[in-house]
Structure formats: structure tokens, C-alpha cells
Amino acid sequence: MKNKLFALLVVLALALSACGGGAATQAPATEPVSATEPAVATEPASSAGGGGTVIFVISEEPAGLNRYLADAAINYQVSDASVIGLTTPNEKGEQEPRLAVELPTISDDQLTVTWKLRPDLKWSDGEPITSDDIKFTWEAVSNPNSGAFNETGGFDLIESIDTPDDLTAVVHYSEPYVGYLDQFFAALLPRHATGNPEEMATWEWNMEPVVAGPFVVSDWRSGESITMERNPYYYEAGKPYLDTLIFRIAPEPAAQTALMISGEAQVHLWPSEDKVDYDPLMNGKAEQVLVPGRWNMALDFNLSKPGDDDPTASAPHPILGDIRVRQAISHAINYDSLINDVFNGQITASTNPFAYGWYKCDLPRMYNFDMEKAKQLLTEAGWVEGPDGIRVAQDALYAEDGTRLSLEMQGYTGYEPLVRVEQFIAENLKAVGIEANIINYDYSIIFGSFADGSPSKIGDYDMLIYDRLYNLEPHGVVQNDYLSTSIPEADNPDGDNHYRWVNPKADAAIEKAGSTFDQSVRREAYCELGKLIQEDAVQNYIFLWQDGYGFSTDLTGYVVSTWGSMTWDIQNWKYK
């Protein structure tokens, strides 16, 4: 503890000089307006209601605020303060109306969904928000040349959208779509302030969006900070209470914590320290708030040959193409020690993608920690111990004799707890004769596009390790992650089956889950899919993070939610 505190204090001066400063101002707070039936702001809002500036410390700069282009978690954490949609999930895991006046109605044949906007809504530039913006959002996201991905899926199932008046959008589907309620939750796009759908990737709006949310970007200094000011036309009268948000980019974990210790920042995204260490370091200035998380850590295996300029599943991976090697890797990981010794019990075990929510599947771990079993499988697969303890191929299924059992394990930068996980797994694998070389990329690469040559998209990797999540409605992401037709390649650049997994039974389970609105039937199908993922050793799910944020003890009004980002309810925050 003392050593950690000393190290943090040493870097404090450097962190402050690099990041600049300015104390957050405070003012008397008013009582909040009800979030269920908000008064609508039809005129520019005043700054009354609390005021002040909140400085966030984040590890990396988001690629942009367009939720349909940027899929990394850091984008959600920042964009949710600004870019909003028709609905939002609350802390109870229930979908609530946001820009919609109520949840939509659906026809008896389940092919027509009718949305109603709140009256008198305005964009941050004062222009009215209308049903045509709902229609434009669909046109833009579904355009094959826009570069957009379907955050919730199903946009390709929309045949047309009628706008009989400025407040009504009638969505017609070619077949029932189970995720209709979540379809426009991520963002509504303004037709008048964006551009042509096929040019979405280069819209100025992506970095300086005209928005409906509580805050608007006023200054973006690349690599340094993003500043937002309160939206004068935000629909809840009197909100937001704060005047200014500043997202300060500080890649080093020690520098992030130092900013909080000094009071230079008020909110800390994902502190690297456990709460038991973090709170004493803050000395009453801040505390770490934890909530059950959705970030599901998994080790992904590439089933296809990397580096062959062929992104399809046609050629097997020379090492991981043999399921026995993938099973051995899973058997080699000491899950209990990782949870209890490395993270002091502040993470919980996970075994499959469906680890929470209404679709939760309680599947037992198929490949438990068993080093002898791991060694046996590797020997059976034709991998014998080499002179330095790392195995080499001898009559292996796909690898040439003498091939070293060496694999890259790719993750993302800027998050020290992930490094702990990587190093722990690498040591576990070394103990059974597998060399795991850790290579971490920034978010823009690890979660990049096919066109930009992201290793996962083009199939040029061995193993990926990162945490991923599902929303209240998972089906669009499930389809894109696991369908055999979702392998990313030139004709399908937005597919995310980066394992290159082809299993007709999995395709059938996914189809079953999307063919009914009965959640019990859907859950059964998802659990069947989860079991197939285990059986084929496509991924090895390891644990769930708890979501942790450092909050200044001067702040109030925030609610930390399993189903939201750190800024999901920023309009309600104020100083005490």
C-alpha cells in the first residue's frame, strides 16, 4: 500500500503539469425534475440548476461520437453524455422512453412498430427533431456504403418508414424483429446536420455532433481533452445541472489516480486499483463505486490460418485448428487463483456469452483447470516438449514438424488490470509448454474495421483477449458474432465472426432465438448456442468485471448502472 502511494505521489507533479487544471466550481443545487415525465425545454435553457465543471479522467481518446461507426467501450463512456436515442435502459434493466414519449406500439402481426416523439423537441442547434430524423437514421445505418455497423441489428429487416406527421414514425418490417425496442436507443441522427449516408465515415458530425443529449462538444483537442457544454435545448427543463464536462486523456494508470488524489479530476473511469486500495489512497476526496458488470472477459481463438491474405475460414490455423490445443489452453488456466488471488474476489466467474440479464445461462465450465489434462491433450495432438520447455510439433495435425508452440495473445492498451490477466494466463500456458507472446494495440486497431486492416477483421491473429458486453436485447450482436455468414471479408466487412467459426447447429440456434418474442424460448436457444461455443472451444469465457468508477465525494445525483455507461444519467448530476 505505502509503496503504491509513494509511486503515485512521485508521478503527481508530472501528471498535473501535463494535463493542466482548474478546480471544479460549485453552486447551490435545485431539486431535480422528474425523469419519468420531464418538462420539455422549448426555449434555450439557463445555467440555473447547480452549475459547475466535472473533469473525467479517461485512458484513451474515443475515435468519434458516432455510435454506429465506433464500437469501443471508450466511445460509449463519452458519447452517452451527448448523443442519445429514442429509449434508454435504466439501472433496473428496463427500457425507458427517452426522445420517444412512450415505448412504441406493435401491430398484431408484429410487422409494424409505431414510434411517437415527445412534442417540441429540438436539436442542439435549435432545429426541430422530427420523425424524419428517425427515418434518416435508418437510411444512414442501413446504407451498405456508410461503414456503419448495426449496434442492435435488424435495420436490414426494415422495409420502409412512414412519417405521417412530425411526431410519428411507422416502421414496417419484412419479418418480426425481436429487437425492435432497442433499435434506436444508441443514437438518433439529424438529417439536416450530418451528410450523405455513404459518406458517414467522414462526416464532421462524428467529432462535432449536433445532438439531443444534455451536453454538446465545444472543444476537442486530440490526445488531450474533450470539452462539452450544456445543451441549451435539452428536452428536460432545468437540466443538466452541470455547466461543463471535460474528458481529460491520461493513458498511464498512475497518472490517472494522481489526478484524482489531487482533486484535479472528479470522475475516474475504470481505476486500475481494487476498491480496498483505491479508497484509502483518495483520503476522503473520492471513492470507487462498484456495480455488477456486463464486461465479459474471454479468450478468442482464430480457427483459420493467419497471415495468408485469406480472411475466410478455408484454411485451418496451423496450431489452433486442432480443437485439442484449444481445449488444452482452457484446461491450463487456473480460474480460481485468477479470481481470488489476482483480483481479490472482485471479479466473478463466467463460462459463456450469456452471463446476465433475462437471457442468462448458468452453464458449468466445460474445461476446468487441470494441468495434467492440458499436457495430455497437447501430447495427443502431436506437440512434444522442446529443449527450453516450450513444445514443438511432431506429427501434429496441421503444423510442420519442428514448429514451435508459440502464439500471440492480442489485447488492448490503457488498462492495467487486463495486463494482469494476460500475464497470468501467459504464465499458466508456459507451465504446460505453450509460449504466449502478449501484444496490445490501442482501441482503434484492436476494434478497427476490415478496410483499416484490423487483425481480428482480416483474420491475422492467433488469440484475442478482451471484454465484451450485450445490451438488453442481444440478438443483433449475437447474429453478427456467431453466424457462419458473419465471417468478415471484403463482401461482408461488418461481420464480426472473427473466430471464423462455421457450425450449422449454431446457425439454427441463432435463427430459433430470433424467430419468437417468447423470452423463455429465446433463452433456451441462446443457452444451446453457449454450449456449442464451449464444445467447439471457439472462445474461453473467463470472468465478469465489476464496473468500477472513481467519484469525487463532492458529487451527487449519479446512479451507477450495470446497463449504462458512466455518463448514462449525466443530466442528473450535481455538486453537493
Side-chain angles (χ1 to χ4, degrees):
M1 174 72 70
K2 292 181 180 178
N3 291 337
K4 183 179 289 187
L5 177 58
F6 176 77
L8 290 170
L9 292 177
V10 168
V11 301
L12 177 58
L14 177 61
L16 297 182
S17 63
C19 297
T25 59
Q26 300 181 38
T30 61
E31 289 299 315
V33 178
S34 168
T36 54
E37 292 294 337
V40 175
T42 57
E43 299 295 332
S46 70
S47 60
T53 297
V54 166
I55 298 175
F56 299 78
V57 57
I58 59 178
S59 62
E60 190 158 350
E61 183 175 14
L65 301 188
N66 188 335
R67 289 283 295 273
Y68 299 110
L69 289 177
D71 193 26
I74 190 65
N75 298 85
Y76 308 166
Q77 303 293 342
V78 177
S79 68
D80 281 356
S82 184
V83 182
I84 64 173
L86 296 181
T87 61
T88 192
N90 64 22
E91 71 275 16
K92 298 177 183 178
E94 303 164 337
Q95 202 65 257
E96 290 184 343
R98 191 89 187 254
L99 297 179
V101 70
E102 60 188 5
L103 296 181
T105 59
I106 186 168
S107 61
D108 291 341
D109 63 4
Q110 300 173 333
L111 294 176
T112 303
V113 173
T114 301
W115 291 92
K116 290 279 190 178
L117 289 169
R118 297 181 187 275
D120 302 316
L121 292 173
K122 293 182 184 295
W123 293 105
S124 55
D125 62 358
E127 290 296 312
I129 300 173
T130 72
S131 56
D132 183 60
D133 294 311
I134 301 176
K135 183 176 183 178
F136 175 72
T137 301
W138 161 62
E139 292 173 351
V141 176
S142 62
N143 188 296
N145 299 315
S146 69
F149 67 91
N150 290 355
E151 172 131 341
T152 59
F155 281 97
D156 57 331
L157 299 180
I158 297 176
E159 290 187 325
S160 63
I161 296 182
D162 298 330
T163 53
D165 57 60
D166 284 348
L167 300 182
T168 306
V170 183
V171 184
H172 302 281
Y173 292 86
S174 59
E175 60 184 70
Y177 178 58
V178 293
Y180 73 92
L181 198 59
D182 287 23
Q183 196 155 40
F184 295 95
F185 95 93
L188 209 58
L189 303 173
R191 186 187 293 272
H192 76 283
T194 49
N196 295 325
E198 59 271 17
E199 299 172 352
M200 181 187 286
T202 59
W203 285 352
E204 292 184 5
W205 186 92
N206 299 333
M207 307 293 282
E208 300 179 15
V210 172
V211 299
F215 289 90
V216 187
V217 174
S218 59
D219 183 53
W220 192 317
R221 301 183 183 185
S222 183
E224 297 181 11
S225 64
I226 302 167
T227 300
M228 296 185 184
E229 307 292 342
R230 66 198 316 269
N231 179 0
Y233 293 102
Y234 182 61
Y235 72 93
E236 294 184 78
K239 295 184 181 181
Y241 299 129
L242 299 169
D243 291 325
T244 306
L245 310 178
I246 300 174
F247 297 88
R248 183 160 292 164
I249 301 159
E252 293 299 323
Q256 297 166 19
T257 304
L259 288 167
M260 294 296 294
I261 290 174
S262 70
E264 187 79 1
Q266 289 73 49
V267 183
H268 187 178
L269 175 63
W270 302 323
S272 60
E273 297 85 2
D274 295 334
K275 179 176 174 63
V276 67
D277 294 329
Y278 188 83
D279 287 2
L281 285 172
M282 294 299 109
N283 196 27
K285 292 183 179 180
E287 63 178 347
Q288 187 172 165
V289 180
L290 300 173
V291 66
R294 290 180 292 150
W295 294 105
N296 202 351
M297 181 65 68
L299 188 64
D300 299 351
F301 301 115
N302 185 4
L303 308 187
S304 69
K305 185 178 180 180
D308 62 353
D309 296 323
D310 179 5
T312 71
S314 59
H317 193 287
I319 297 174
L320 297 172
D322 189 332
I323 189 174
R324 293 171 294 185
V325 176
R326 306 195 299 272
Q327 292 169 336
I329 290 172
S330 298
H331 275 305
I333 299 173
N334 190 334
Y335 304 97
D336 288 343
S337 179
L338 178 62
I339 292 170
N340 297 315
D341 299 332
V342 178
F343 288 102
N344 299 316
Q346 292 198 163
I347 58 177
T348 57
S350 172
T351 63
N352 69 92
F354 309 103
Y356 40 75
W358 62 265
Y359 41 80
K360 182 178 180 181
C361 300
D362 294 316
L363 299 176
R365 189 173 298 283
M366 188 167 291
Y367 308 114
N368 290 305
F369 173 56
D370 188 335
M371 288 184 63
E372 294 308 313
K373 182 65 175 178
K375 293 177 181 178
Q376 176 188 339
L377 283 165
L378 291 173
T379 301
E380 291 175 358
W383 295 92
V384 299
E385 188 171 332
D388 61 352
I390 301 302
R391 292 173 180 259
V392 293
Q394 183 177 301
D395 297 326
L397 191 59
Y398 300 117
E400 294 182 2
D401 284 357
T403 300
R404 186 175 175 85
L405 213 176
S406 181
L407 298 164
E408 288 186 358
M409 180 165 54
Q410 298 180 6
Y412 57 84
T413 58
Y415 193 42
E416 186 274 338
L418 176 62
V419 176
R420 275 188 265 167
V421 176
E422 293 171 327
Q423 292 174 342
F424 181 84
I425 291 177
E427 287 299 315
N428 284 184
L429 297 185
K430 184 178 180 181
V432 298
I434 301 173
E435 181 178 63
N437 300 303
I438 300 169
I439 300 179
N440 290 330
Y441 297 102
D442 66 35
Y443 291 97
S444 64
I445 296 175
I446 196 83
F447 303 115
S449 68
F450 186 90
D452 292 335
S454 171
S456 65
K457 287 289 190 179
I458 65 175
D460 193 13
Y461 75 97
D462 296 323
M463 300 184 294
L464 294 176
I465 184 164
Y466 68 93
D467 41 334
R468 67 296 311 275
L469 60 71
Y470 286 150
N471 294 313
L472 281 176
E473 173 47 57
H475 196 69
V477 179
V478 171
Q479 286 179 310
N480 209 35
D481 281 356
Y482 297 112
L483 279 176
S484 300
T485 54
S486 291
I487 294 173
E489 49 186 299
D491 293 335
N492 186 28
D494 296 325
D496 209 22
N497 180 349
H498 54 255
Y499 339 96
R500 274 71 187 174
W501 183 42
V502 178
N503 187 319
K505 290 182 179 179
D507 294 343
I510 296 169
E511 182 179 356
K512 180 180 178 182
S515 65
T516 177
F517 287 76
D518 186 329
Q519 285 190 346
S520 63
V521 175
R522 297 184 66 204
R523 179 183 173 277
E524 180 182 353
Y526 287 139
C527 292
E528 181 181 350
L529 174 63
K531 189 174 181 181
L532 290 168
I533 291 169
Q534 287 184 326
E535 290 175 351
D536 284 4
V538 179
Q539 299 170 285
N540 180 19
Y541 279 86
I542 305 171
F543 65 84
L544 287 171
W545 293 115
Q546 287 194 85
D547 256 341
Y549 308 95
F551 282 98
S552 166
T553 51
D554 291 332
L555 286 175
T556 187
Y558 58 84
V559 175
V560 178
S561 171
T562 294
W563 297 97
S565 68
M566 67 176 173
T567 57
W568 79 277
D569 64 341
I570 191 71
Q571 70 276 11
N572 298 319
W573 295 18
K574 61 176 73 169
Y575 279 100
K576 293 179 180 177

